[in-house]
Amino acid sequence: QVQLQESGPGLVKPSETLSLTCTVSGDSIRSDYWSWIRQPPGKGLEWIGYIYYSGSTSYSPSLKSRVMISVDTSKNQFSLKLTSVTAADTAVYYCARDGLTVAGTVVPGYFDCWGQGTLVTVSS
Amino acid sequence: DIQMTQSPSSVSASVGDRVTITCRASQGIGSWLAWYQQKPGNVPKLLIYAASSLQSGVPSRFSGSASGTVFTLTISSLEPEDFATYYCQQANSFPFTFGPGTKVDIK
């Protein structure tokens, strides 16, 4: 049973850096793509970006200048850093396994396992 | 970015009803589309991928179809546990984008 668990501060001050870690259990982080997705309170879902265990990344252009996703294969974890945060970055942040096997190939873009989500509030 | 729109934004239905939700992509995405279900306070759950493939463990009353850039999620006979918000999402190109959601509530 694959489980993902987000961890990190629930309150971040404006202009500072949001840092979250996702710990994966029940699956090797070397086997799939891994994404971060966020959801502002009462609103819809926004994909932030993904990482492959090799370190290859893809980010949403709207956040690309402020975001970095990294992976630690020894700890089976991946992490999100979002710099210069504002109130608009207040959201529930989810980590998710990204990638299903289609015709024998793991392809990113389908999020089949999600962490429980963590609310990050940006406020002074 | 590929824009995803959904209609209706909300629908009131009764247990046993057939419910259809439509999702439109702003450009061609092939069959690279997923549907998710999210109940209040819960995590999104993958229902359908590749437009019409049922994710393991998802009841067969859920089905997906595609015609060009128009995609449909159908719940053949609504169960009490199906009252939720449903999102479509394109997986064709970066950035992956979601529709705004369709809320299915009790009539």
PDB file of all heavy atoms in Angstrom, chain B residues 33-73:
ATOM      1  N   LEU B  33      -6.594  12.529 -20.756  1.00  0.00           N
ATOM      2  CA  LEU B  33      -7.491  13.190 -19.824  1.00  0.00           C
ATOM      3  C   LEU B  33      -7.816  12.275 -18.654  1.00  0.00           C
ATOM      4  O   LEU B  33      -8.004  11.073 -18.819  1.00  0.00           O
ATOM      5  CB  LEU B  33      -8.810  13.585 -20.516  1.00  0.00           C
ATOM      6  CG  LEU B  33      -9.695  14.383 -19.558  1.00  0.00           C
ATOM      7  CD1 LEU B  33      -9.686  15.862 -19.906  1.00  0.00           C
ATOM      8  CD2 LEU B  33     -11.097  13.839 -19.487  1.00  0.00           C
ATOM      9  N   ALA B  34      -7.883  12.888 -17.481  1.00  0.00           N
ATOM     10  CA  ALA B  34      -8.245  12.163 -16.264  1.00  0.00           C
ATOM     11  C   ALA B  34      -9.432  12.837 -15.602  1.00  0.00           C
ATOM     12  O   ALA B  34      -9.688  14.025 -15.797  1.00  0.00           O
ATOM     13  CB  ALA B  34      -7.063  12.128 -15.295  1.00  0.00           C
ATOM     14  N   TRP B  35     -10.147  12.047 -14.821  1.00  0.00           N
ATOM     15  CA  TRP B  35     -11.232  12.543 -13.979  1.00  0.00           C
ATOM     16  C   TRP B  35     -10.931  12.177 -12.528  1.00  0.00           C
ATOM     17  O   TRP B  35     -10.502  11.061 -12.229  1.00  0.00           O
ATOM     18  CB  TRP B  35     -12.563  11.909 -14.373  1.00  0.00           C
ATOM     19  CG  TRP B  35     -13.127  12.368 -15.679  1.00  0.00           C
ATOM     20  CD1 TRP B  35     -13.009  11.747 -16.894  1.00  0.00           C
ATOM     21  CD2 TRP B  35     -13.910  13.545 -15.911  1.00  0.00           C
ATOM     22  NE1 TRP B  35     -13.669  12.468 -17.859  1.00  0.00           N
ATOM     23  CE2 TRP B  35     -14.239  13.566 -17.281  1.00  0.00           C
ATOM     24  CE3 TRP B  35     -14.378  14.577 -15.088  1.00  0.00           C
ATOM     25  CZ2 TRP B  35     -15.005  14.596 -17.859  1.00  0.00           C
ATOM     26  CZ3 TRP B  35     -15.135  15.589 -15.653  1.00  0.00           C
ATOM     27  CH2 TRP B  35     -15.446  15.599 -17.014  1.00  0.00           C
ATOM     28  N   TYR B  36     -11.179  13.133 -11.629  1.00  0.00           N
ATOM     29  CA  TYR B  36     -10.974  12.927 -10.201  1.00  0.00           C
ATOM     30  C   TYR B  36     -12.261  13.265  -9.453  1.00  0.00           C
ATOM     31  O   TYR B  36     -13.023  14.140  -9.861  1.00  0.00           O
ATOM     32  CB  TYR B  36      -9.857  13.837  -9.668  1.00  0.00           C
ATOM     33  CG  TYR B  36      -8.517  13.592 -10.306  1.00  0.00           C
ATOM     34  CD1 TYR B  36      -8.171  14.209 -11.502  1.00  0.00           C
ATOM     35  CD2 TYR B  36      -7.596  12.733  -9.723  1.00  0.00           C
ATOM     36  CE1 TYR B  36      -6.957  13.982 -12.106  1.00  0.00           C
ATOM     37  CE2 TYR B  36      -6.366  12.499 -10.320  1.00  0.00           C
ATOM     38  CZ  TYR B  36      -6.055  13.125 -11.507  1.00  0.00           C
ATOM     39  OH  TYR B  36      -4.844  12.889 -12.108  1.00  0.00           O
ATOM     40  N   GLN B  37     -12.428  12.591  -8.335  1.00  0.00           N
ATOM     41  CA  GLN B  37     -13.538  12.854  -7.415  1.00  0.00           C
ATOM     42  C   GLN B  37     -12.952  13.388  -6.115  1.00  0.00           C
ATOM     43  O   GLN B  37     -11.986  12.834  -5.596  1.00  0.00           O
ATOM     44  CB  GLN B  37     -14.293  11.554  -7.134  1.00  0.00           C
ATOM     45  CG  GLN B  37     -15.397  11.663  -6.090  1.00  0.00           C
ATOM     46  CD  GLN B  37     -15.847  10.292  -5.618  1.00  0.00           C
ATOM     47  OE1 GLN B  37     -15.098   9.553  -4.985  1.00  0.00           O
ATOM     48  NE2 GLN B  37     -17.089   9.944  -5.935  1.00  0.00           N
ATOM     49  N   GLN B  38     -13.526  14.469  -5.600  1.00  0.00           N
ATOM     50  CA  GLN B  38     -13.073  14.989  -4.322  1.00  0.00           C
ATOM     51  C   GLN B  38     -14.275  15.265  -3.426  1.00  0.00           C
ATOM     52  O   GLN B  38     -15.138  16.076  -3.763  1.00  0.00           O
ATOM     53  CB  GLN B  38     -12.249  16.266  -4.484  1.00  0.00           C
ATOM     54  CG  GLN B  38     -11.640  16.751  -3.170  1.00  0.00           C
ATOM     55  CD  GLN B  38     -10.762  17.978  -3.316  1.00  0.00           C
ATOM     56  OE1 GLN B  38     -10.992  18.837  -4.169  1.00  0.00           O
ATOM     57  NE2 GLN B  38      -9.735  18.081  -2.491  1.00  0.00           N
ATOM     58  N   LYS B  39     -14.307  14.594  -2.297  1.00  0.00           N
ATOM     59  CA  LYS B  39     -15.342  14.844  -1.297  1.00  0.00           C
ATOM     60  C   LYS B  39     -14.838  15.912  -0.332  1.00  0.00           C
ATOM     61  O   LYS B  39     -13.625  16.063  -0.158  1.00  0.00           O
ATOM     62  CB  LYS B  39     -15.685  13.553  -0.562  1.00  0.00           C
ATOM     63  CG  LYS B  39     -16.228  12.486  -1.500  1.00  0.00           C
ATOM     64  CD  LYS B  39     -16.518  11.189  -0.774  1.00  0.00           C
ATOM     65  CE  LYS B  39     -16.977  10.132  -1.764  1.00  0.00           C
ATOM     66  NZ  LYS B  39     -17.245   8.821  -1.102  1.00  0.00           N
ATOM     67  N   PRO B  40     -15.742  16.662   0.296  1.00  0.00           N
ATOM     68  CA  PRO B  40     -15.325  17.755   1.185  1.00  0.00           C
ATOM     69  C   PRO B  40     -14.343  17.278   2.247  1.00  0.00           C
ATOM     70  O   PRO B  40     -14.582  16.282   2.933  1.00  0.00           O
ATOM     71  CB  PRO B  40     -16.650  18.213   1.794  1.00  0.00           C
ATOM     72  CG  PRO B  40     -17.675  17.866   0.777  1.00  0.00           C
ATOM     73  CD  PRO B  40     -17.207  16.585   0.160  1.00  0.00           C
ATOM     74  N   GLY B  41     -13.237  17.988   2.358  1.00  0.00           N
ATOM     75  CA  GLY B  41     -12.228  17.664   3.355  1.00  0.00           C
ATOM     76  C   GLY B  41     -11.367  16.464   3.010  1.00  0.00           C
ATOM     77  O   GLY B  41     -10.520  16.056   3.802  1.00  0.00           O
ATOM     78  N   ASN B  42     -11.592  15.911   1.816  1.00  0.00           N
ATOM     79  CA  ASN B  42     -10.847  14.715   1.420  1.00  0.00           C
ATOM     80  C   ASN B  42      -9.878  14.993   0.275  1.00  0.00           C
ATOM     81  O   ASN B  42      -9.909  16.042  -0.357  1.00  0.00           O
ATOM     82  CB  ASN B  42     -11.812  13.606   0.995  1.00  0.00           C
ATOM     83  CG  ASN B  42     -12.385  12.874   2.187  1.00  0.00           C
ATOM     84  OD1 ASN B  42     -12.341  13.374   3.316  1.00  0.00           O
ATOM     85  ND2 ASN B  42     -12.938  11.701   1.947  1.00  0.00           N
ATOM     86  N   VAL B  43      -9.078  13.998   0.014  1.00  0.00           N
ATOM     87  CA  VAL B  43      -8.075  14.063  -1.044  1.00  0.00           C
ATOM     88  C   VAL B  43      -8.718  13.698  -2.384  1.00  0.00           C
ATOM     89  O   VAL B  43      -9.600  12.840  -2.427  1.00  0.00           O
ATOM     90  CB  VAL B  43      -6.944  13.051  -0.718  1.00  0.00           C
ATOM     91  CG1 VAL B  43      -5.938  12.991  -1.834  1.00  0.00           C
ATOM     92  CG2 VAL B  43      -6.287  13.408   0.610  1.00  0.00           C
ATOM     93  N   PRO B  44      -8.322  14.328  -3.474  1.00  0.00           N
ATOM     94  CA  PRO B  44      -8.829  13.902  -4.785  1.00  0.00           C
ATOM     95  C   PRO B  44      -8.503  12.441  -5.058  1.00  0.00           C
ATOM     96  O   PRO B  44      -7.441  11.947  -4.669  1.00  0.00           O
ATOM     97  CB  PRO B  44      -8.094  14.821  -5.768  1.00  0.00           C
ATOM     98  CG  PRO B  44      -7.769  16.038  -4.969  1.00  0.00           C
ATOM     99  CD  PRO B  44      -7.469  15.530  -3.593  1.00  0.00           C
ATOM    100  N   LYS B  45      -9.421  11.782  -5.733  1.00  0.00           N
ATOM    101  CA  LYS B  45      -9.268  10.371  -6.061  1.00  0.00           C
ATOM    102  C   LYS B  45      -9.371  10.193  -7.568  1.00  0.00           C
ATOM    103  O   LYS B  45     -10.317  10.682  -8.201  1.00  0.00           O
ATOM    104  CB  LYS B  45     -10.373   9.558  -5.368  1.00  0.00           C
ATOM    105  CG  LYS B  45     -10.424   8.080  -5.740  1.00  0.00           C
ATOM    106  CD  LYS B  45     -11.645   7.415  -5.109  1.00  0.00           C
ATOM    107  CE  LYS B  45     -11.765   5.960  -5.528  1.00  0.00           C
ATOM    108  NZ  LYS B  45     -12.982   5.330  -4.944  1.00  0.00           N
ATOM    109  N   LEU B  46      -8.395   9.498  -8.139  1.00  0.00           N
ATOM    110  CA  LEU B  46      -8.396   9.252  -9.581  1.00  0.00           C
ATOM    111  C   LEU B  46      -9.473   8.237  -9.931  1.00  0.00           C
ATOM    112  O   LEU B  46      -9.499   7.131  -9.385  1.00  0.00           O
ATOM    113  CB  LEU B  46      -7.021   8.744 -10.019  1.00  0.00           C
ATOM    114  CG  LEU B  46      -6.863   8.361 -11.489  1.00  0.00           C
ATOM    115  CD1 LEU B  46      -7.027   9.590 -12.391  1.00  0.00           C
ATOM    116  CD2 LEU B  46      -5.505   7.702 -11.735  1.00  0.00           C
ATOM    117  N   LEU B  47     -10.373   8.613 -10.827  1.00  0.00           N
ATOM    118  CA  LEU B  47     -11.440   7.717 -11.274  1.00  0.00           C
ATOM    119  C   LEU B  47     -11.150   7.114 -12.645  1.00  0.00           C
ATOM    120  O   LEU B  47     -11.289   5.915 -12.857  1.00  0.00           O
ATOM    121  CB  LEU B  47     -12.767   8.481 -11.363  1.00  0.00           C
ATOM    122  CG  LEU B  47     -13.333   9.134 -10.117  1.00  0.00           C
ATOM    123  CD1 LEU B  47     -14.595   9.910 -10.475  1.00  0.00           C
ATOM    124  CD2 LEU B  47     -13.617   8.091  -9.052  1.00  0.00           C
ATOM    125  N   ILE B  48     -10.793   7.983 -13.567  1.00  0.00           N
ATOM    126  CA  ILE B  48     -10.645   7.631 -14.982  1.00  0.00           C
ATOM    127  C   ILE B  48      -9.338   8.223 -15.484  1.00  0.00           C
ATOM    128  O   ILE B  48      -9.001   9.369 -15.146  1.00  0.00           O
ATOM    129  CB  ILE B  48     -11.802   8.233 -15.823  1.00  0.00           C
ATOM    130  CG1 ILE B  48     -13.169   7.760 -15.337  1.00  0.00           C
ATOM    131  CG2 ILE B  48     -11.600   7.927 -17.315  1.00  0.00           C
ATOM    132  CD1 ILE B  48     -13.599   6.418 -15.819  1.00  0.00           C
ATOM    133  N   TYR B  49      -8.611   7.462 -16.288  1.00  0.00           N
ATOM    134  CA  TYR B  49      -7.429   7.996 -16.954  1.00  0.00           C
ATOM    135  C   TYR B  49      -7.485   7.607 -18.424  1.00  0.00           C
ATOM    136  O   TYR B  49      -8.258   6.733 -18.820  1.00  0.00           O
ATOM    137  CB  TYR B  49      -6.131   7.493 -16.295  1.00  0.00           C
ATOM    138  CG  TYR B  49      -5.919   5.998 -16.406  1.00  0.00           C
ATOM    139  CD1 TYR B  49      -5.171   5.456 -17.444  1.00  0.00           C
ATOM    140  CD2 TYR B  49      -6.476   5.125 -15.464  1.00  0.00           C
ATOM    141  CE1 TYR B  49      -4.986   4.092 -17.553  1.00  0.00           C
ATOM    142  CE2 TYR B  49      -6.298   3.764 -15.568  1.00  0.00           C
ATOM    143  CZ  TYR B  49      -5.551   3.244 -16.607  1.00  0.00           C
ATOM    144  OH  TYR B  49      -5.365   1.895 -16.719  1.00  0.00           O
ATOM    145  N   ALA B  50      -6.688   8.286 -19.212  1.00  0.00           N
ATOM    146  CA  ALA B  50      -6.701   8.060 -20.662  1.00  0.00           C
ATOM    147  C   ALA B  50      -8.122   8.155 -21.219  1.00  0.00           C
ATOM    148  O   ALA B  50      -8.530   7.353 -22.068  1.00  0.00           O
ATOM    149  CB  ALA B  50      -6.047   6.713 -21.012  1.00  0.00           C
ATOM    150  N   ALA B  51      -8.862   9.088 -20.693  1.00  0.00           N
ATOM    151  CA  ALA B  51     -10.226   9.446 -21.118  1.00  0.00           C
ATOM    152  C   ALA B  51     -11.295   8.419 -20.778  1.00  0.00           C
ATOM    153  O   ALA B  51     -12.425   8.798 -20.443  1.00  0.00           O
ATOM    154  CB  ALA B  51     -10.271   9.757 -22.624  1.00  0.00           C
ATOM    155  N   SER B  52     -10.954   7.122 -20.843  1.00  0.00           N
ATOM    156  CA  SER B  52     -12.016   6.121 -20.674  1.00  0.00           C
ATOM    157  C   SER B  52     -11.593   4.888 -19.891  1.00  0.00           C
ATOM    158  O   SER B  52     -12.385   3.956 -19.749  1.00  0.00           O
ATOM    159  CB  SER B  52     -12.540   5.677 -22.050  1.00  0.00           C
ATOM    160  OG  SER B  52     -11.490   5.108 -22.808  1.00  0.00           O
ATOM    161  N   SER B  53     -10.364   4.887 -19.376  1.00  0.00           N
ATOM    162  CA  SER B  53      -9.883   3.724 -18.623  1.00  0.00           C
ATOM    163  C   SER B  53     -10.214   3.893 -17.149  1.00  0.00           C
ATOM    164  O   SER B  53      -9.861   4.903 -16.531  1.00  0.00           O
ATOM    165  CB  SER B  53      -8.376   3.555 -18.804  1.00  0.00           C
ATOM    166  OG  SER B  53      -8.064   3.261 -20.150  1.00  0.00           O
ATOM    167  N   LEU B  54     -10.879   2.883 -16.604  1.00  0.00           N
ATOM    168  CA  LEU B  54     -11.306   2.936 -15.215  1.00  0.00           C
ATOM    169  C   LEU B  54     -10.134   2.575 -14.296  1.00  0.00           C
ATOM    170  O   LEU B  54      -9.498   1.525 -14.469  1.00  0.00           O
ATOM    171  CB  LEU B  54     -12.459   1.950 -15.010  1.00  0.00           C
ATOM    172  CG  LEU B  54     -13.355   2.124 -13.793  1.00  0.00           C
ATOM    173  CD1 LEU B  54     -14.135   3.428 -13.865  1.00  0.00           C
ATOM    174  CD2 LEU B  54     -14.319   0.941 -13.684  1.00  0.00           C
ATOM    175  N   GLN B  55      -9.848   3.444 -13.354  1.00  0.00           N
ATOM    176  CA  GLN B  55      -8.784   3.163 -12.388  1.00  0.00           C
ATOM    177  C   GLN B  55      -9.186   1.966 -11.532  1.00  0.00           C
ATOM    178  O   GLN B  55     -10.373   1.747 -11.226  1.00  0.00           O
ATOM    179  CB  GLN B  55      -8.520   4.394 -11.516  1.00  0.00           C
ATOM    180  CG  GLN B  55      -7.556   4.200 -10.363  1.00  0.00           C
ATOM    181  CD  GLN B  55      -6.119   3.953 -10.775  1.00  0.00           C
ATOM    182  OE1 GLN B  55      -5.834   3.638 -11.925  1.00  0.00           O
ATOM    183  NE2 GLN B  55      -5.210   4.096  -9.836  1.00  0.00           N
ATOM    184  N   SER B  56      -8.213   1.177 -11.143  1.00  0.00           N
ATOM    185  CA  SER B  56      -8.450  -0.003 -10.336  1.00  0.00           C
ATOM    186  C   SER B  56      -9.238   0.354  -9.068  1.00  0.00           C
ATOM    187  O   SER B  56      -8.922   1.323  -8.376  1.00  0.00           O
ATOM    188  CB  SER B  56      -7.110  -0.635  -9.952  1.00  0.00           C
ATOM    189  OG  SER B  56      -7.295  -1.718  -9.071  1.00  0.00           O
ATOM    190  N   GLY B  57     -10.269  -0.441  -8.794  1.00  0.00           N
ATOM    191  CA  GLY B  57     -11.054  -0.246  -7.585  1.00  0.00           C
ATOM    192  C   GLY B  57     -12.223   0.714  -7.723  1.00  0.00           C
ATOM    193  O   GLY B  57     -13.031   0.847  -6.805  1.00  0.00           O
ATOM    194  N   VAL B  58     -12.321   1.385  -8.856  1.00  0.00           N
ATOM    195  CA  VAL B  58     -13.414   2.350  -9.070  1.00  0.00           C
ATOM    196  C   VAL B  58     -14.643   1.603  -9.598  1.00  0.00           C
ATOM    197  O   VAL B  58     -14.517   0.789 -10.520  1.00  0.00           O
ATOM    198  CB  VAL B  58     -12.990   3.449 -10.049  1.00  0.00           C
ATOM    199  CG1 VAL B  58     -14.162   4.383 -10.381  1.00  0.00           C
ATOM    200  CG2 VAL B  58     -11.831   4.257  -9.461  1.00  0.00           C
ATOM    201  N   PRO B  59     -15.803   1.868  -9.020  1.00  0.00           N
ATOM    202  CA  PRO B  59     -17.010   1.141  -9.458  1.00  0.00           C
ATOM    203  C   PRO B  59     -17.317   1.352 -10.938  1.00  0.00           C
ATOM    204  O   PRO B  59     -17.067   2.427 -11.495  1.00  0.00           O
ATOM    205  CB  PRO B  59     -18.112   1.760  -8.589  1.00  0.00           C
ATOM    206  CG  PRO B  59     -17.409   2.305  -7.401  1.00  0.00           C
ATOM    207  CD  PRO B  59     -16.075   2.770  -7.885  1.00  0.00           C
ATOM    208  N   SER B  60     -17.903   0.342 -11.526  1.00  0.00           N
ATOM    209  CA  SER B  60     -18.172   0.367 -12.971  1.00  0.00           C
ATOM    210  C   SER B  60     -19.306   1.308 -13.356  1.00  0.00           C
ATOM    211  O   SER B  60     -19.552   1.516 -14.552  1.00  0.00           O
ATOM    212  CB  SER B  60     -18.486  -1.050 -13.467  1.00  0.00           C
ATOM    213  OG  SER B  60     -19.624  -1.556 -12.780  1.00  0.00           O
ATOM    214  N   ARG B  61     -19.990   1.900 -12.390  1.00  0.00           N
ATOM    215  CA  ARG B  61     -21.017   2.883 -12.734  1.00  0.00           C
ATOM    216  C   ARG B  61     -20.388   4.185 -13.256  1.00  0.00           C
ATOM    217  O   ARG B  61     -21.081   5.012 -13.840  1.00  0.00           O
ATOM    218  CB  ARG B  61     -21.936   3.186 -11.542  1.00  0.00           C
ATOM    219  CG  ARG B  61     -21.250   3.801 -10.343  1.00  0.00           C
ATOM    220  CD  ARG B  61     -22.259   4.032  -9.218  1.00  0.00           C
ATOM    221  NE  ARG B  61     -21.625   4.620  -8.033  1.00  0.00           N
ATOM    222  CZ  ARG B  61     -21.068   3.902  -7.069  1.00  0.00           C
ATOM    223  NH1 ARG B  61     -21.040   2.580  -7.149  1.00  0.00           N
ATOM    224  NH2 ARG B  61     -20.519   4.514  -6.020  1.00  0.00           N
ATOM    225  N   PHE B  62     -19.075   4.331 -13.057  1.00  0.00           N
ATOM    226  CA  PHE B  62     -18.353   5.470 -13.595  1.00  0.00           C
ATOM    227  C   PHE B  62     -17.789   5.090 -14.974  1.00  0.00           C
ATOM    228  O   PHE B  62     -17.213   4.020 -15.142  1.00  0.00           O
ATOM    229  CB  PHE B  62     -17.191   5.894 -12.697  1.00  0.00           C
ATOM    230  CG  PHE B  62     -17.623   6.490 -11.383  1.00  0.00           C
ATOM    231  CD1 PHE B  62     -17.753   5.692 -10.257  1.00  0.00           C
ATOM    232  CD2 PHE B  62     -17.890   7.840 -11.274  1.00  0.00           C
ATOM    233  CE1 PHE B  62     -18.159   6.230  -9.048  1.00  0.00           C
ATOM    234  CE2 PHE B  62     -18.290   8.399 -10.075  1.00  0.00           C
ATOM    235  CZ  PHE B  62     -18.431   7.583  -8.950  1.00  0.00           C
ATOM    236  N   SER B  63     -17.971   5.988 -15.929  1.00  0.00           N
ATOM    237  CA  SER B  63     -17.395   5.756 -17.251  1.00  0.00           C
ATOM    238  C   SER B  63     -17.002   7.088 -17.876  1.00  0.00           C
ATOM    239  O   SER B  63     -17.550   8.142 -17.521  1.00  0.00           O
ATOM    240  CB  SER B  63     -18.361   5.001 -18.166  1.00  0.00           C
ATOM    241  OG  SER B  63     -19.511   5.785 -18.397  1.00  0.00           O
ATOM    242  N   GLY B  64     -16.043   7.019 -18.785  1.00  0.00           N
ATOM    243  CA  GLY B  64     -15.584   8.217 -19.472  1.00  0.00           C
ATOM    244  C   GLY B  64     -15.566   7.997 -20.963  1.00  0.00           C
ATOM    245  O   GLY B  64     -15.373   6.875 -21.437  1.00  0.00           O
ATOM    246  N   SER B  65     -15.766   9.071 -21.697  1.00  0.00           N
ATOM    247  CA  SER B  65     -15.722   8.996 -23.148  1.00  0.00           C
ATOM    248  C   SER B  65     -15.144  10.291 -23.702  1.00  0.00           C
ATOM    249  O   SER B  65     -15.019  11.290 -22.986  1.00  0.00           O
ATOM    250  CB  SER B  65     -17.108   8.733 -23.741  1.00  0.00           C
ATOM    251  OG  SER B  65     -17.978   9.812 -23.458  1.00  0.00           O
ATOM    252  N   ALA B  66     -14.797  10.242 -24.977  1.00  0.00           N
ATOM    253  CA  ALA B  66     -14.173  11.400 -25.619  1.00  0.00           C
ATOM    254  C   ALA B  66     -14.670  11.535 -27.047  1.00  0.00           C
ATOM    255  O   ALA B  66     -14.916  10.539 -27.726  1.00  0.00           O
ATOM    256  CB  ALA B  66     -12.661  11.260 -25.596  1.00  0.00           C
ATOM    257  N   SER B  67     -14.790  12.796 -27.468  1.00  0.00           N
ATOM    258  CA  SER B  67     -15.098  13.093 -28.857  1.00  0.00           C
ATOM    259  C   SER B  67     -14.396  14.399 -29.202  1.00  0.00           C
ATOM    260  O   SER B  67     -14.849  15.481 -28.811  1.00  0.00           O
ATOM    261  CB  SER B  67     -16.609  13.232 -29.061  1.00  0.00           C
ATOM    262  OG  SER B  67     -16.902  13.581 -30.402  1.00  0.00           O
ATOM    263  N   GLY B  68     -13.282  14.286 -29.906  1.00  0.00           N
ATOM    264  CA  GLY B  68     -12.484  15.474 -30.192  1.00  0.00           C
ATOM    265  C   GLY B  68     -11.946  16.076 -28.915  1.00  0.00           C
ATOM    266  O   GLY B  68     -11.246  15.410 -28.153  1.00  0.00           O
ATOM    267  N   THR B  69     -12.298  17.331 -28.676  1.00  0.00           N
ATOM    268  CA  THR B  69     -11.818  18.013 -27.468  1.00  0.00           C
ATOM    269  C   THR B  69     -12.884  18.047 -26.373  1.00  0.00           C
ATOM    270  O   THR B  69     -12.752  18.787 -25.408  1.00  0.00           O
ATOM    271  CB  THR B  69     -11.405  19.458 -27.809  1.00  0.00           C
ATOM    272  OG1 THR B  69     -12.529  20.157 -28.371  1.00  0.00           O
ATOM    273  CG2 THR B  69     -10.241  19.482 -28.800  1.00  0.00           C
ATOM    274  N   VAL B  70     -13.911  17.249 -26.540  1.00  0.00           N
ATOM    275  CA  VAL B  70     -14.993  17.181 -25.550  1.00  0.00           C
ATOM    276  C   VAL B  70     -14.979  15.820 -24.875  1.00  0.00           C
ATOM    277  O   VAL B  70     -14.973  14.784 -25.550  1.00  0.00           O
ATOM    278  CB  VAL B  70     -16.365  17.434 -26.206  1.00  0.00           C
ATOM    279  CG1 VAL B  70     -17.474  17.352 -25.152  1.00  0.00           C
ATOM    280  CG2 VAL B  70     -16.387  18.798 -26.901  1.00  0.00           C
ATOM    281  N   PHE B  71     -14.963  15.850 -23.560  1.00  0.00           N
ATOM    282  CA  PHE B  71     -14.865  14.635 -22.766  1.00  0.00           C
ATOM    283  C   PHE B  71     -16.053  14.577 -21.819  1.00  0.00           C
ATOM    284  O   PHE B  71     -16.545  15.610 -21.350  1.00  0.00           O
ATOM    285  CB  PHE B  71     -13.557  14.623 -21.984  1.00  0.00           C
ATOM    286  CG  PHE B  71     -12.347  14.694 -22.870  1.00  0.00           C
ATOM    287  CD1 PHE B  71     -11.874  15.916 -23.333  1.00  0.00           C
ATOM    288  CD2 PHE B  71     -11.690  13.537 -23.260  1.00  0.00           C
ATOM    289  CE1 PHE B  71     -10.775  15.989 -24.170  1.00  0.00           C
ATOM    290  CE2 PHE B  71     -10.585  13.602 -24.093  1.00  0.00           C
ATOM    291  CZ  PHE B  71     -10.132  14.823 -24.559  1.00  0.00           C
ATOM    292  N   THR B  72     -16.485  13.368 -21.513  1.00  0.00           N
ATOM    293  CA  THR B  72     -17.665  13.187 -20.690  1.00  0.00           C
ATOM    294  C   THR B  72     -17.401  12.166 -19.601  1.00  0.00           C
ATOM    295  O   THR B  72     -16.813  11.108 -19.862  1.00  0.00           O
ATOM    296  CB  THR B  72     -18.854  12.725 -21.550  1.00  0.00           C
ATOM    297  OG1 THR B  72     -19.131  13.704 -22.550  1.00  0.00           O
ATOM    298  CG2 THR B  72     -20.098  12.535 -20.692  1.00  0.00           C
ATOM    299  N   LEU B  73     -17.825  12.508 -18.393  1.00  0.00           N
ATOM    300  CA  LEU B  73     -17.854  11.563 -17.281  1.00  0.00           C
ATOM    301  C   LEU B  73     -19.318  11.252 -16.999  1.00  0.00           C
ATOM    302  O   LEU B  73     -20.123  12.169 -16.830  1.00  0.00           O
ATOM    303  CB  LEU B  73     -17.215  12.163 -16.026  1.00  0.00           C
ATOM    304  CG  LEU B  73     -17.335  11.319 -14.748  1.00  0.00           C
ATOM    305  CD1 LEU B  73     -16.464  10.067 -14.857  1.00  0.00           C
ATOM    306  CD2 LEU B  73     -16.932  12.142 -13.523  1.00  0.00           C
TER     307      LEU B  73
END
